[in-house]
Amino acid sequence: MEKIPYEKPTISKINAGVPDKFGMSSGLKPISHIDGQNIETLLSEYGSPLYILSEQNIRDTYQSARGAFESRYPKVQFAWSYKTNYLNAVCNTFHQEGAWAEVVSGFEYEKAIANGVSGNKIIFNGPDKSREELGLAIENESLIHIDHLDEYYDIVSITKESGKKAKVAIRINMDTGIYPKWVRFGLNLENGEAWSMINKIMQEPAMELMGLHTHIGTYIMAPSAYAIAAEKLAYLAVRIEHKYNHHIQYIDLGGGFASKNTLKGAYLPGSDTCPTFDEYAEAITTALQNSDIKYDRMPTLILETGRALIDDAGYLAGTVLANKFLPDGRKALVIDIGLNLLFTSFWYEHYVVPTKETPVQLEDTTIYGPLCMNIDVVREAIKFPLLDKGDHVVISRIGAYNMSQWLQFIKYRPKVVMIDTEGNTHIIRQNEDHSTMNALDKVPEHLVKHDL
Ligand SMILES: *Cc1c(COP(=O)(O)O)cnc(C)c1O
């Protein structure tokens, strides 16, 4: 008979079959498969850790979001927020579904062009657009969302040189009852800054005012905040019509819909508290339809939804490296997934589970990543079963931001695979290795040799 490994005795309340404070039975349900693919097989084939994306989930989520808006409003256009996940396969999945590109830097702009998005379907946001980038965007007839006055002057001077008209919108920040207010981006509504900019643009023959834009924040749990934003932008649109007899083509309400992840410190799990796409859509489209904009002049509603469209499609699978007991007796697990790959663990209580059935006994555990850095904590406190070195875990709802905010710190970044709608697996990004990392380094001649 095999020797059973020693485990420190603990005293805990018997809670088998008893619901916890959320009414759910306690215990962790393992996740062994994603879209029919065995996670352990994927790990042995592609290495650990591994990012896994479900194409089916991306398409289903997109279609349900689009359906929620299109069933309520005649003209709806999504634009994929590149920074949320800019792997080309992901962007192209959204482009195949009909989403335009929303970019916030020259790098992302180049990516969208290389992905074959035509210039007039790229929304160019962000506070940092160089003259060269603005020139290119004007040339390509992209939609430039002006962030500040200096950018306005840059565009004016570029159009003077090129003689080509710029298609612009302005980014507006405002009070929607969400605090802290995001006032650092765009022009303020309440102090009149936004209206002054509109007047400037309307009097500038080299610019065409296409739309009005706001992005009120991220992980916004209140659909009513979007209703306020939509109402305020619609009011501005009517004011522009009165003063200039000019009809803007779109109102862009940015991104920010919450995903089902649970924020740190939240009492209830995010999957219970996150509004549905229908709730957001109802709030926004009702506000637009009840505005003073005439029915035959309704602007296109643009949405730059990021995290809510991709979070659920992403998984991060990994391996247990070690079990430890901390000096105060708490249990700790070290896994090969850390902050470098899971930047969102700063904000979220990520849902971590084993890939196979485990003993029912759960213990308070801290889950650490593999980095030699004190803040590398995946879960501060989670009730977790005993796993052995070499066992596997999977973290769900990690599709948003982790594959763009990842850090090349201490370790190479691993492969990303996507399971297509037929159940076939594709590598959509290769892992880094020594040659990738060394490719950009240069060593001056006098530092090439040493005598060690
Ligand atoms: C980041 C960003 C988005 C996407 O935000 P989510 O919160 O991920 O939906 C959309 N628009 C702009 C301008 C952004 O900066």
Side-chain angles (χ1 to χ4, degrees):
M1 196 178 116
E2 205 184 323
K3 196 169 165 229
I4 299 170
Y6 172 78
E7 204 187 335
K8 150 191 97 107
T10 54
I11 297 173
S12 60
K13 222 166 48 183
I14 292 177
N15 55 12
V18 178
D20 65 12
K21 67 181 176 183
F22 306 122
M24 302 170 299
S25 64
S26 34
L28 280 188
K29 271 209 195 74
I31 299 178
S32 59
H33 288 74
I34 297 166
D35 290 2
Q37 293 291 316
N38 185 308
I39 296 172
E40 303 205 351
T41 314
L42 293 176
L43 284 170
S44 65
E45 197 164 331
Y46 299 105
S48 176
L50 179 69
Y51 288 97
I52 304 163
L53 282 158
S54 159
E55 183 185 334
Q56 189 67 54
N57 186 290
I58 299 176
R59 291 186 187 276
D60 290 348
T61 309
Y62 181 86
Q63 285 163 20
S64 81
R66 200 182 64 188
F69 282 90
E70 283 185 347
S71 60
R72 293 175 167 87
Y73 194 80
K75 287 180 276 179
V76 179
Q77 180 61 55
F78 279 82
W80 174 239
S81 157
Y82 264 45
K83 76 172 188 293
T84 308
N85 186 320
Y86 42 56
L87 297 178
N88 293 333
V90 169
C91 296
N92 279 354
T93 306
F94 284 109
H95 298 324
Q96 280 187 355
E97 291 288 336
W100 293 359
E102 185 272 331
V103 303
V104 291
S105 68
F107 153 61
E108 290 184 8
Y109 189 89
E110 281 180 18
K111 235 177 184 315
I113 293 284
N115 280 337
V117 182
S118 65
N120 63 354
K121 292 180 176 163
I122 302 176
I123 294 172
F124 197 178
N125 279 317
D128 172 16
K129 309 179 185 86
S130 71
R131 276 184 76 88
E132 293 67 37
E133 290 155 6
L134 285 171
L136 191 63
I138 294 168
E139 193 55 41
N140 290 336
E141 300 185 1
S142 300
L143 301 158
I144 302 170
H145 288 188
I146 298 176
D147 187 79
H148 45 70
L149 200 55
D150 285 319
E151 188 178 323
Y152 165 85
Y153 287 123
D154 268 347
I155 297 173
V156 172
S157 89
I158 294 165
T159 53
K160 294 261 158 10
E161 282 165 23
S162 70
K164 183 143 180 153
K165 222 169 159 165
K167 292 187 185 300
V168 302
I170 62 168
R171 171 146 179 190
I172 299 173
N173 67 67
M174 61 180 83
D175 186 354
T176 58
I178 295 295
Y179 307 104
K181 286 184 274 179
W182 279 26
V183 290
R184 59 165 286 190
F185 301 109
L187 299 131
N188 185 255
L189 181 70
E190 285 81 16
N191 72 4
E193 206 178 30
W195 185 244
S196 297
M197 177 61 89
I198 290 168
N199 284 317
K200 274 197 166 53
I201 293 170
M202 292 309 301
Q203 285 153 34
E204 174 52 63
M207 283 189 192
E208 186 180 357
L209 183 65
M210 305 289 289
L212 300 171
H213 171 231
T214 190
H215 172 66
I216 58 176
T218 193
Y219 205 97
I220 305 290
M221 304 271 284
S224 58
Y226 286 95
I228 295 171
E231 197 182 309
K232 289 186 171 181
L233 291 188
Y235 175 73
L236 268 188
V238 172
R239 225 175 136 189
I240 293 167
E241 208 172 304
H242 279 165
K243 182 161 176 181
Y244 295 103
N245 196 26
H246 175 77
H247 306 283
I248 56 151
Q249 295 182 15
Y250 64 86
I251 281 181
D252 179 345
L253 286 176
F257 298 162
S259 82
K260 297 194 192 83
N261 255 306
T262 305
L263 286 176
K264 284 192 172 168
Y267 184 68
L268 292 165
S271 50
D272 288 358
T273 55
C274 169
T276 60
F277 289 125
D278 280 311
E279 288 170 308
Y280 288 116
E282 185 66 21
I284 291 170
T285 58
T286 305
L288 290 179
Q289 269 144 0
N290 288 348
S291 75
D292 286 349
I293 304 178
K294 295 200 184 69
Y295 272 118
D296 57 343
R297 295 284 188 193
M298 290 307 266
T300 298
L301 169 60
I302 295 185
L303 296 153
E304 303 169 348
T305 314
R307 75 174 72 237
L309 289 183
I310 188 79
D311 229 5
D312 279 8
Y315 299 81
L316 192 44
T319 306
V320 174
L321 302 175
N323 270 294
K324 279 189 164 185
F325 283 105
L326 302 176
D328 62 5
R330 265 182 310 140
K331 219 178 109 176
L333 200 64
V334 187
I335 61 175
D336 63 357
I337 298 166
L339 270 190
N340 52 330
L341 306 181
L342 195 65
F343 202 74
T344 52
S345 57
F346 274 122
W347 301 285
Y348 290 148
E349 302 277 24
H350 277 293
Y351 189 64
V352 189
V353 297
T355 53
K356 60 174 196 223
E357 290 294 341
T358 51
V360 284
Q361 173 86 342
L362 303 181
E363 253 197 273
D364 280 330
T365 307
T366 302
I367 303 183
Y368 293 115
L371 305 183
C372 199
M373 178 178 71
N374 201 32
I375 61 167
D376 187 24
V377 182
V378 173
R379 284 295 301 266
E380 205 66 61
I382 181 172
K383 290 219 175 295
F384 216 68
L386 178 77
L387 294 187
D388 289 326
K389 179 178 167 61
D391 283 347
H392 300 299
V393 294
V394 61
I395 308 178
S396 23
R397 298 208 170 103
I398 60 91
Y401 294 101
N402 290 304
M403 281 156 258
S404 46
Q405 287 185 309
W406 49 12
L407 307 172
Q408 192 286 303
F409 179 54
I410 302 186
K411 298 192 49 113
Y412 299 130
R413 281 171 285 204
K415 289 188 177 68
V416 183
V417 298
M418 184 187 259
I419 303 169
D420 69 21
T421 53
E422 325 258 75
N424 304 308
T425 308
H426 309 263
I427 295 175
I428 63 166
R429 187 179 152 100
Q430 274 296 358
N431 57 293
E432 292 167 343
D433 59 17
H434 183 71
S435 66
T436 341
M437 294 322 305
N438 244 21
L440 299 177
D441 265 44
K442 299 234 181 291
V443 180
E445 198 52 45
H446 70 287
L447 296 177
V448 170
K449 280 205 193 109
H450 50 70
D451 298 329
L452 288 178

